[in-house]
mmCIF file of all heavy atoms in Angstrom:
data_model
loop_
_atom_site.group_PDB
_atom_site.id
_atom_site.type_symbol
_atom_site.label_atom_id
_atom_site.label_comp_id
_atom_site.label_asym_id
_atom_site.label_seq_id
_atom_site.Cartn_x
_atom_site.Cartn_y
_atom_site.Cartn_z
ATOM 1 N N SER M 286 -3.549 -36.049 33.381
ATOM 2 C CA SER M 286 -3.421 -34.722 32.704
ATOM 3 C C SER M 286 -4.261 -34.788 31.416
ATOM 4 O O SER M 286 -4.867 -33.690 31.085
ATOM 5 C CB SER M 286 -1.976 -34.461 32.404
ATOM 6 O OG SER M 286 -1.473 -35.427 31.423
ATOM 7 N N GLY M 287 -4.356 -35.921 30.855
ATOM 8 C CA GLY M 287 -5.303 -36.027 29.618
ATOM 9 C C GLY M 287 -6.711 -35.847 30.064
ATOM 10 O O GLY M 287 -7.527 -35.242 29.298
ATOM 11 N N MET M 288 -7.137 -36.436 31.139
ATOM 12 C CA MET M 288 -8.478 -36.291 31.687
ATOM 13 C C MET M 288 -8.750 -34.790 31.971
ATOM 14 O O MET M 288 -9.917 -34.336 31.638
ATOM 15 C CB MET M 288 -8.721 -37.157 32.903
ATOM 16 C CG MET M 288 -8.681 -38.628 32.598
ATOM 17 S SD MET M 288 -10.209 -39.291 32.028
ATOM 18 C CE MET M 288 -11.186 -39.146 33.433
ATOM 19 N N LEU M 289 -7.826 -34.102 32.623
ATOM 20 C CA LEU M 289 -7.984 -32.795 32.958
ATOM 21 C C LEU M 289 -8.048 -31.804 31.714
ATOM 22 O O LEU M 289 -8.931 -31.012 31.648
ATOM 23 C CB LEU M 289 -6.818 -32.352 33.891
ATOM 24 C CG LEU M 289 -6.870 -30.844 34.424
ATOM 25 C CD1 LEU M 289 -8.031 -30.737 35.377
ATOM 26 C CD2 LEU M 289 -5.528 -30.576 35.009
ATOM 27 N N LEU M 290 -7.264 -32.090 30.800
ATOM 28 C CA LEU M 290 -7.288 -31.284 29.497
ATOM 29 C C LEU M 290 -8.623 -31.580 28.804
ATOM 30 O O LEU M 290 -9.219 -30.627 28.323
ATOM 31 C CB LEU M 290 -6.175 -31.655 28.624
ATOM 32 C CG LEU M 290 -4.806 -31.159 29.105
ATOM 33 C CD1 LEU M 290 -3.696 -31.721 28.139
ATOM 34 C CD2 LEU M 290 -4.797 -29.569 29.032
ATOM 35 N N THR M 291 -9.174 -32.793 28.827
ATOM 36 C CA THR M 291 -10.380 -33.102 28.176
ATOM 37 C C THR M 291 -11.551 -32.428 28.929
ATOM 38 O O THR M 291 -12.489 -31.816 28.292
ATOM 39 C CB THR M 291 -10.671 -34.556 28.170
ATOM 40 O OG1 THR M 291 -9.558 -35.199 27.445
ATOM 41 C CG2 THR M 291 -11.960 -34.890 27.381
ATOM 42 N N MET M 292 -11.497 -32.375 30.202
ATOM 43 C CA MET M 292 -12.534 -31.689 31.097
ATOM 44 C C MET M 292 -12.518 -30.227 30.851
ATOM 45 O O MET M 292 -13.615 -29.568 30.775
ATOM 46 C CB MET M 292 -12.425 -32.104 32.572
ATOM 47 C CG MET M 292 -12.823 -33.504 32.773
ATOM 48 S SD MET M 292 -12.799 -33.978 34.575
ATOM 49 C CE MET M 292 -11.841 -32.790 35.366
ATOM 50 N N LEU M 293 -11.368 -29.631 30.699
ATOM 51 C CA LEU M 293 -11.303 -28.171 30.673
ATOM 52 C C LEU M 293 -11.440 -27.636 29.189
ATOM 53 O O LEU M 293 -11.553 -26.434 28.988
ATOM 54 C CB LEU M 293 -9.954 -27.635 31.112
ATOM 55 C CG LEU M 293 -9.778 -27.946 32.629
ATOM 56 C CD1 LEU M 293 -8.356 -27.483 33.002
ATOM 57 C CD2 LEU M 293 -10.767 -27.246 33.448
ATOM 58 N N TYR M 294 -11.550 -28.570 28.183
ATOM 59 C CA TYR M 294 -11.718 -28.075 26.825
ATOM 60 C C TYR M 294 -13.163 -27.698 26.547
ATOM 61 O O TYR M 294 -14.002 -28.612 26.730
ATOM 62 C CB TYR M 294 -11.216 -29.205 25.859
ATOM 63 C CG TYR M 294 -11.521 -28.881 24.394
ATOM 64 C CD1 TYR M 294 -10.691 -27.950 23.735
ATOM 65 C CD2 TYR M 294 -12.560 -29.412 23.718
ATOM 66 C CE1 TYR M 294 -10.938 -27.615 22.453
ATOM 67 C CE2 TYR M 294 -12.810 -29.196 22.371
ATOM 68 C CZ TYR M 294 -11.943 -28.191 21.762
ATOM 69 O OH TYR M 294 -12.247 -27.875 20.455
ATOM 70 N N PRO M 295 -13.298 -26.528 26.154
ATOM 71 C CA PRO M 295 -14.733 -26.080 25.946
ATOM 72 C C PRO M 295 -15.139 -26.364 24.396
ATOM 73 O O PRO M 295 -14.710 -25.573 23.534
ATOM 74 C CB PRO M 295 -14.777 -24.590 26.235
ATOM 75 C CG PRO M 295 -13.375 -24.076 25.907
ATOM 76 C CD PRO M 295 -12.451 -25.385 26.170
ATOM 77 N N PRO M 296 -15.897 -27.334 24.226
ATOM 78 C CA PRO M 296 -16.252 -27.554 22.666
ATOM 79 C C PRO M 296 -17.259 -26.413 22.299
ATOM 80 O O PRO M 296 -18.097 -25.929 23.043
ATOM 81 C CB PRO M 296 -16.990 -28.929 22.830
ATOM 82 C CG PRO M 296 -17.434 -29.079 24.248
ATOM 83 C CD PRO M 296 -16.508 -28.291 25.039
ATOM 84 N N ASP M 297 -17.101 -26.057 21.061
ATOM 85 C CA ASP M 297 -17.920 -25.019 20.502
ATOM 86 C C ASP M 297 -18.790 -25.581 19.328
ATOM 87 O O ASP M 297 -18.281 -25.758 18.142
ATOM 88 C CB ASP M 297 -17.110 -23.892 19.951
ATOM 89 C CG ASP M 297 -17.869 -22.634 19.587
ATOM 90 O OD1 ASP M 297 -18.976 -22.712 19.769
ATOM 91 O OD2 ASP M 297 -17.164 -21.725 19.060
ATOM 92 N N PRO M 298 -20.048 -25.937 19.559
ATOM 93 C CA PRO M 298 -20.882 -26.610 18.599
ATOM 94 C C PRO M 298 -21.123 -25.687 17.360
ATOM 95 O O PRO M 298 -21.469 -26.159 16.340
ATOM 96 C CB PRO M 298 -22.165 -26.905 19.291
ATOM 97 C CG PRO M 298 -21.817 -26.902 20.737
ATOM 98 C CD PRO M 298 -20.696 -25.909 20.894
ATOM 99 N N SER M 299 -20.982 -24.371 17.572
ATOM 100 C CA SER M 299 -21.249 -23.466 16.425
ATOM 101 C C SER M 299 -20.246 -23.680 15.309
ATOM 102 O O SER M 299 -20.478 -23.392 14.169
ATOM 103 C CB SER M 299 -21.239 -22.034 16.914
ATOM 104 O OG SER M 299 -19.950 -21.684 17.364
ATOM 105 N N LEU M 300 -19.037 -24.147 15.673
ATOM 106 C CA LEU M 300 -18.052 -24.435 14.620
ATOM 107 C C LEU M 300 -18.329 -25.660 13.819
ATOM 108 O O LEU M 300 -17.828 -25.852 12.760
ATOM 109 C CB LEU M 300 -16.626 -24.618 15.265
ATOM 110 C CG LEU M 300 -16.094 -23.291 15.892
ATOM 111 C CD1 LEU M 300 -14.726 -23.668 16.572
ATOM 112 C CD2 LEU M 300 -15.887 -22.210 14.811
ATOM 113 N N TRP M 301 -19.089 -26.565 14.365
ATOM 114 C CA TRP M 301 -19.452 -27.838 13.600
ATOM 115 C C TRP M 301 -20.205 -27.484 12.314
ATOM 116 O O TRP M 301 -19.991 -28.245 11.288
ATOM 117 C CB TRP M 301 -20.264 -28.744 14.427
ATOM 118 C CG TRP M 301 -19.491 -29.200 15.722
ATOM 119 C CD1 TRP M 301 -18.196 -29.094 15.899
ATOM 120 C CD2 TRP M 301 -20.137 -29.829 16.893
ATOM 121 N NE1 TRP M 301 -17.823 -29.690 17.128
ATOM 122 C CE2 TRP M 301 -19.068 -30.091 17.726
ATOM 123 C CE3 TRP M 301 -21.334 -30.207 17.149
ATOM 124 C CZ2 TRP M 301 -19.220 -30.670 18.954
ATOM 125 C CZ3 TRP M 301 -21.610 -30.839 18.435
ATOM 126 C CH2 TRP M 301 -20.537 -30.985 19.281
ATOM 127 N N LYS M 302 -21.012 -26.536 12.305
ATOM 128 C CA LYS M 302 -21.749 -26.116 11.020
ATOM 129 C C LYS M 302 -20.720 -25.622 9.918
ATOM 130 O O LYS M 302 -20.965 -25.760 8.830
ATOM 131 C CB LYS M 302 -22.736 -25.040 11.341
ATOM 132 C CG LYS M 302 -23.842 -25.530 12.294
ATOM 133 C CD LYS M 302 -24.719 -24.356 12.667
ATOM 134 C CE LYS M 302 -25.673 -24.761 13.762
ATOM 135 N NZ LYS M 302 -26.466 -23.682 14.291
ATOM 136 N N GLU M 303 -19.659 -25.012 10.384
ATOM 137 C CA GLU M 303 -18.691 -24.410 9.533
ATOM 138 C C GLU M 303 -17.625 -25.441 9.126
ATOM 139 O O GLU M 303 -16.720 -25.147 8.291
ATOM 140 C CB GLU M 303 -18.040 -23.202 10.097
ATOM 141 C CG GLU M 303 -19.048 -22.084 10.389
ATOM 142 C CD GLU M 303 -18.354 -21.024 11.273
ATOM 143 O OE1 GLU M 303 -17.128 -20.963 11.384
ATOM 144 O OE2 GLU M 303 -19.120 -20.169 11.796
ATOM 145 N N ALA M 304 -17.586 -26.625 9.635
ATOM 146 C CA ALA M 304 -16.541 -27.547 9.477
ATOM 147 C C ALA M 304 -16.473 -28.033 8.071
ATOM 148 O O ALA M 304 -15.307 -28.301 7.553
ATOM 149 C CB ALA M 304 -16.723 -28.755 10.402
ATOM 150 N N GLU M 305 -17.478 -28.085 7.286
ATOM 151 C CA GLU M 305 -17.452 -28.473 5.896
ATOM 152 C C GLU M 305 -16.665 -27.473 4.995
ATOM 153 O O GLU M 305 -16.256 -27.793 3.978
ATOM 154 C CB GLU M 305 -18.826 -28.650 5.335
ATOM 155 C CG GLU M 305 -19.772 -27.448 5.384
ATOM 156 C CD GLU M 305 -21.124 -27.777 5.069
ATOM 157 O OE1 GLU M 305 -21.629 -28.866 5.413
ATOM 158 O OE2 GLU M 305 -21.796 -26.937 4.388
ATOM 159 N N HIS M 306 -16.502 -26.241 5.463
ATOM 160 C CA HIS M 306 -15.798 -25.232 4.737
ATOM 161 C C HIS M 306 -14.336 -25.096 5.092
ATOM 162 O O HIS M 306 -13.595 -24.313 4.541
ATOM 163 C CB HIS M 306 -16.466 -23.872 4.897
ATOM 164 C CG HIS M 306 -17.921 -23.874 4.628
ATOM 165 N ND1 HIS M 306 -18.361 -24.031 3.250
ATOM 166 C CD2 HIS M 306 -19.060 -23.640 5.330
ATOM 167 C CE1 HIS M 306 -19.689 -23.939 3.200
ATOM 168 N NE2 HIS M 306 -20.146 -23.761 4.430
ATOM 169 N N PHE M 307 -13.918 -25.916 6.093
ATOM 170 C CA PHE M 307 -12.517 -25.874 6.472
ATOM 171 C C PHE M 307 -11.659 -26.518 5.531
ATOM 172 O O PHE M 307 -12.042 -27.352 4.710
ATOM 173 C CB PHE M 307 -12.305 -26.518 7.864
ATOM 174 C CG PHE M 307 -12.881 -25.764 9.054
ATOM 175 C CD1 PHE M 307 -13.218 -26.492 10.203
ATOM 176 C CD2 PHE M 307 -13.144 -24.451 9.003
ATOM 177 C CE1 PHE M 307 -13.706 -25.779 11.314
ATOM 178 C CE2 PHE M 307 -13.678 -23.786 10.069
ATOM 179 C CZ PHE M 307 -13.970 -24.453 11.228
ATOM 180 N N SER M 308 -10.376 -26.164 5.453
ATOM 181 C CA SER M 308 -9.369 -26.667 4.573
ATOM 182 C C SER M 308 -9.173 -28.133 4.870
ATOM 183 O O SER M 308 -9.109 -28.520 6.089
ATOM 184 C CB SER M 308 -8.138 -25.879 4.613
ATOM 185 O OG SER M 308 -7.075 -26.470 3.811
ATOM 186 N N THR M 309 -8.886 -28.929 3.936
ATOM 187 C CA THR M 309 -8.550 -30.312 4.190
ATOM 188 C C THR M 309 -7.043 -30.591 4.324
ATOM 189 O O THR M 309 -6.628 -31.613 4.555
ATOM 190 C CB THR M 309 -9.103 -31.219 3.009
ATOM 191 O OG1 THR M 309 -8.535 -30.730 1.830
ATOM 192 C CG2 THR M 309 -10.652 -31.200 3.035
ATOM 193 N N LYS M 310 -6.239 -29.561 4.096
ATOM 194 C CA LYS M 310 -4.852 -29.635 4.265
ATOM 195 C C LYS M 310 -4.560 -29.667 5.798
ATOM 196 O O LYS M 310 -4.972 -28.971 6.619
ATOM 197 C CB LYS M 310 -4.097 -28.484 3.645
ATOM 198 C CG LYS M 310 -4.026 -28.463 2.163
ATOM 199 C CD LYS M 310 -3.196 -27.384 1.636
ATOM 200 C CE LYS M 310 -3.086 -27.411 0.130
ATOM 201 N NZ LYS M 310 -2.264 -26.373 -0.389
ATOM 202 N N VAL M 311 -3.539 -30.531 6.047
ATOM 203 C CA VAL M 311 -3.009 -30.591 7.523
ATOM 204 C C VAL M 311 -1.666 -30.008 7.570
ATOM 205 O O VAL M 311 -0.773 -30.284 6.752
ATOM 206 C CB VAL M 311 -2.969 -32.063 7.905
ATOM 207 C CG1 VAL M 311 -2.387 -32.187 9.309
ATOM 208 C CG2 VAL M 311 -4.327 -32.730 7.782
ATOM 209 N N GLN M 312 -1.485 -29.073 8.495
ATOM 210 C CA GLN M 312 -0.268 -28.432 8.692
ATOM 211 C C GLN M 312 0.327 -28.841 9.991
ATOM 212 O O GLN M 312 -0.213 -28.648 11.071
ATOM 213 C CB GLN M 312 -0.419 -26.856 8.719
ATOM 214 C CG GLN M 312 0.862 -26.185 8.907
ATOM 215 C CD GLN M 312 0.711 -24.697 8.870
ATOM 216 O OE1 GLN M 312 -0.451 -24.142 8.710
ATOM 217 N NE2 GLN M 312 1.768 -23.929 9.003
ATOM 218 N N PHE M 313 1.446 -29.544 9.891
ATOM 219 C CA PHE M 313 2.155 -30.037 11.159
ATOM 220 C C PHE M 313 3.034 -28.922 11.636
ATOM 221 O O PHE M 313 3.734 -28.311 10.924
ATOM 222 C CB PHE M 313 2.993 -31.216 10.803
ATOM 223 C CG PHE M 313 2.138 -32.423 10.426
ATOM 224 C CD1 PHE M 313 1.981 -32.818 9.179
ATOM 225 C CD2 PHE M 313 1.546 -33.193 11.451
ATOM 226 C CE1 PHE M 313 1.145 -33.900 8.792
ATOM 227 C CE2 PHE M 313 0.731 -34.243 11.117
ATOM 228 C CZ PHE M 313 0.605 -34.649 9.825
ATOM 229 N N VAL M 314 2.961 -28.729 12.968
ATOM 230 C CA VAL M 314 3.817 -27.790 13.621
ATOM 231 C C VAL M 314 4.786 -28.499 14.574
ATOM 232 O O VAL M 314 4.557 -29.738 14.878
ATOM 233 C CB VAL M 314 2.976 -26.777 14.482
ATOM 234 C CG1 VAL M 314 2.141 -25.938 13.566
ATOM 235 C CG2 VAL M 314 2.122 -27.483 15.549
ATOM 236 N N ARG M 315 5.789 -27.898 14.959
ATOM 237 C CA ARG M 315 6.750 -28.456 15.900
ATOM 238 C C ARG M 315 6.206 -28.795 17.247
ATOM 239 O O ARG M 315 5.606 -27.884 17.854
ATOM 240 C CB ARG M 315 7.910 -27.575 15.998
ATOM 241 C CG ARG M 315 9.097 -28.154 16.778
ATOM 242 C CD ARG M 315 10.241 -27.288 16.725
ATOM 243 N NE ARG M 315 11.362 -27.971 17.460
ATOM 244 C CZ ARG M 315 12.500 -27.360 17.788
ATOM 245 N NH1 ARG M 315 12.646 -26.049 17.473
ATOM 246 N NH2 ARG M 315 13.383 -27.992 18.406
ATOM 247 N N PRO M 316 6.246 -30.019 17.683
ATOM 248 C CA PRO M 316 5.585 -30.362 19.026
ATOM 249 C C PRO M 316 6.349 -29.772 20.102
ATOM 250 O O PRO M 316 7.577 -29.579 20.016
ATOM 251 C CB PRO M 316 5.583 -31.909 18.929
ATOM 252 C CG PRO M 316 6.784 -32.207 18.119
ATOM 253 C CD PRO M 316 6.902 -31.195 17.037
ATOM 254 N N THR M 317 5.651 -29.548 21.185
ATOM 255 C CA THR M 317 6.355 -29.147 22.449
ATOM 256 C C THR M 317 6.440 -30.297 23.334
ATOM 257 O O THR M 317 5.480 -30.992 23.576
ATOM 258 C CB THR M 317 5.616 -27.873 23.041
ATOM 259 O OG1 THR M 317 6.255 -27.567 24.273
ATOM 260 C CG2 THR M 317 4.158 -28.237 23.323
ATOM 261 N N HIS M 318 7.592 -30.423 23.971
ATOM 262 C CA HIS M 318 7.827 -31.501 24.892
ATOM 263 C C HIS M 318 7.826 -31.130 26.295
ATOM 264 O O HIS M 318 8.092 -31.944 27.160
ATOM 265 C CB HIS M 318 9.129 -32.168 24.533
ATOM 266 C CG HIS M 318 9.174 -32.839 23.196
ATOM 267 N ND1 HIS M 318 8.447 -33.908 22.833
ATOM 268 C CD2 HIS M 318 9.855 -32.563 22.048
ATOM 269 C CE1 HIS M 318 8.664 -34.267 21.663
ATOM 270 N NE2 HIS M 318 9.471 -33.446 21.038
ATOM 271 N N PHE M 319 7.541 -29.907 26.572
ATOM 272 C CA PHE M 319 7.651 -29.331 27.839
ATOM 273 C C PHE M 319 6.648 -29.972 28.848
ATOM 274 O O PHE M 319 7.019 -30.364 29.924
ATOM 275 C CB PHE M 319 7.407 -27.782 27.870
ATOM 276 C CG PHE M 319 7.594 -27.170 29.207
ATOM 277 C CD1 PHE M 319 8.888 -27.061 29.719
ATOM 278 C CD2 PHE M 319 6.635 -26.629 29.875
ATOM 279 C CE1 PHE M 319 9.083 -26.445 30.997
ATOM 280 C CE2 PHE M 319 6.701 -26.057 31.128
ATOM 281 C CZ PHE M 319 7.985 -25.962 31.715
ATOM 282 N N PRO M 320 5.369 -30.186 28.518
ATOM 283 C CA PRO M 320 4.452 -30.865 29.437
ATOM 284 C C PRO M 320 4.926 -32.270 29.798
ATOM 285 O O PRO M 320 4.771 -32.745 31.000
ATOM 286 C CB PRO M 320 3.095 -30.830 28.728
ATOM 287 C CG PRO M 320 3.163 -29.687 27.744
ATOM 288 C CD PRO M 320 4.632 -29.656 27.299
ATOM 289 N N SER M 321 5.409 -33.011 28.785
ATOM 290 C CA SER M 321 5.851 -34.367 29.095
ATOM 291 C C SER M 321 7.068 -34.349 29.994
ATOM 292 O O SER M 321 7.190 -35.227 30.841
ATOM 293 C CB SER M 321 6.210 -35.077 27.730
ATOM 294 O OG SER M 321 5.053 -35.306 27.005
ATOM 295 N N LEU M 322 7.973 -33.303 29.837
ATOM 296 C CA LEU M 322 9.079 -33.183 30.677
ATOM 297 C C LEU M 322 8.700 -32.901 32.106
ATOM 298 O O LEU M 322 9.285 -33.491 33.074
ATOM 299 C CB LEU M 322 10.061 -32.180 30.150
ATOM 300 C CG LEU M 322 10.846 -32.543 28.853
ATOM 301 C CD1 LEU M 322 11.677 -31.340 28.422
ATOM 302 C CD2 LEU M 322 11.698 -33.813 29.088
#
């Protein structure tokens, strides 16, 4: 499932140029356990 998710993830190189302007704060969200179940 990890391999499949990695293959299906479309990377967007245009966002790499804007990465330096992103916030350095990390916001944690509640994890979902449904796929693991």
Side-chain angles (χ1 to χ4, degrees):
S286 68
M288 294 278 289
L289 183 67
L290 288 173
T291 302
M292 286 185 342
L293 294 177
Y294 175 73
D297 190 4
S299 66
L300 292 176
W301 295 345
K302 297 174 188 172
E303 302 170 10
E305 61 190 35
H306 302 296
F307 289 158
S308 173
T309 57
K310 287 186 178 181
V311 177
Q312 181 179 0
F313 293 100
V314 294
R315 187 173 180 191
T317 177
H318 297 290
F319 187 69
S321 293
L322 289 175

